[in-house]
Amino acid sequence: MIQIKILNTDILSDNWYILKKVTYEVTEKDGNTAVQSREAYDRGNGATILLYNKAQSSVILTRQFRLPTYINGNPDGMLIECCAGLLDKDNPEDCIRKETEEETGYKITDVKKVFEAYMSPGSVTEILYFFVAEYAKEMKVSDGGGLAHENENIEVLELPFSEALQMVKTGEIKDGKTIMLLQYAQLASLV
């Protein structure tokens, strides 16, 4: 087992989130040591959810502009994805209930945590908590779309489950968390 000793942490940026340069000493299994340096982006932990309706065989997804995808070749920067948000000071369940109502307009109560994962552990500290919840038309309390003061402009999409799966195959859905939850739903026969 290797051992890690943090030697120094420098803040490179704290403009939007925190970008750190961490210098650390690694002691390998054989006892050899080496000093290494890496950058890590700390944006906090988050939660994501797939809303599904078993009777209709449908799911709720969102579409919004994502600058990093635009910079990396997505022609319009729009991304289809599951509802998600940062925990801030909330626990994962409270966070995802709040984000679901803000982004999709559905007020849900019964959420099921299905797993948690590091999404990009080579550079980002975030743990993402994954949830599923069943939705029904009577749970719709607003149009959703996100919060204006957070500059969110979110389109809510209700899609047949089979179409969402096909959109993964065609590349119309390229968001990792969304692909993971759609595949979970398929494997668990939720929809």
Side-chain angles (χ1 to χ4, degrees):
M1 184 161 150
I2 67 169
Q3 294 179 350
I4 304 293
K5 179 182 175 185
I6 303 293
L7 302 175
N8 189 48
T9 301
D10 294 316
I11 304 296
L12 302 179
S13 173
D14 65 356
N15 183 32
W16 187 251
Y17 300 114
I18 299 171
L19 178 60
K20 298 176 182 178
K21 181 177 181 181
V22 179
T23 304
Y24 56 98
E25 182 181 80
V26 179
T27 303
E28 301 288 346
K29 288 187 265 187
D30 63 7
N32 289 327
T33 62
V35 174
Q36 298 181 3
S37 194
R38 298 286 186 274
E39 292 179 4
Y41 195 51
D42 185 352
R43 57 185 307 269
N45 294 329
T48 186
I49 191 165
L50 178 66
L51 298 179
Y52 67 93
N53 182 300
K54 193 167 186 73
Q56 291 178 185
S57 191
S58 60
V59 293
I60 299 292
L61 299 175
T62 63
R63 181 181 1 238
Q64 63 182 307
F65 178 76
R66 295 297 196 183
L67 178 65
T69 73
Y70 182 76
I71 292 169
N72 198 21
N74 181 356
D76 63 3
M78 299 302 282
L79 200 65
I80 296 172
E81 56 190 295
C82 289
C83 169
L86 293 177
L87 300 187
D88 298 321
K89 292 181 171 68
D90 291 332
N91 67 51
E93 292 82 3
D94 291 342
C95 167
I96 205 58
R97 284 186 191 97
K98 179 180 71 174
E99 288 292 333
T100 299
E101 189 170 339
E102 290 172 4
E103 292 188 7
T104 70
Y106 285 90
K107 186 172 185 70
I108 56 168
T109 53
D110 297 325
V111 297
K112 176 184 175 188
K113 180 182 167 194
V114 292
F115 53 87
E116 58 189 68
Y118 289 101
M119 295 302 291
S120 190
S123 59
V124 180
T125 63
E126 178 185 40
I127 294 174
L128 195 58
Y129 299 89
F130 289 76
F131 293 90
V132 293
E134 196 156 5
Y135 77 93
K137 295 256 186 252
E138 54 273 6
M139 298 167 126
K140 186 85 166 162
V141 294
S142 74
D143 291 336
L147 299 176
H149 74 272
E150 290 183 3
N151 297 312
E152 293 179 317
N153 186 10
I154 299 169
E155 179 184 357
V156 180
L157 307 172
E158 183 174 30
L159 300 170
F161 182 59
S162 59
E163 183 179 337
L165 290 174
Q166 186 61 33
M167 292 169 81
V168 172
K169 289 180 185 174
T170 63
E172 292 171 86
I173 294 177
K174 290 185 178 183
D175 176 62
K177 66 185 177 301
T178 303
I179 293 168
M180 291 167 73
L181 278 171
L182 288 170
Q183 289 179 337
Y184 172 84
Q186 186 177 34
L187 290 170
S189 301
L190 293 182
V191 186

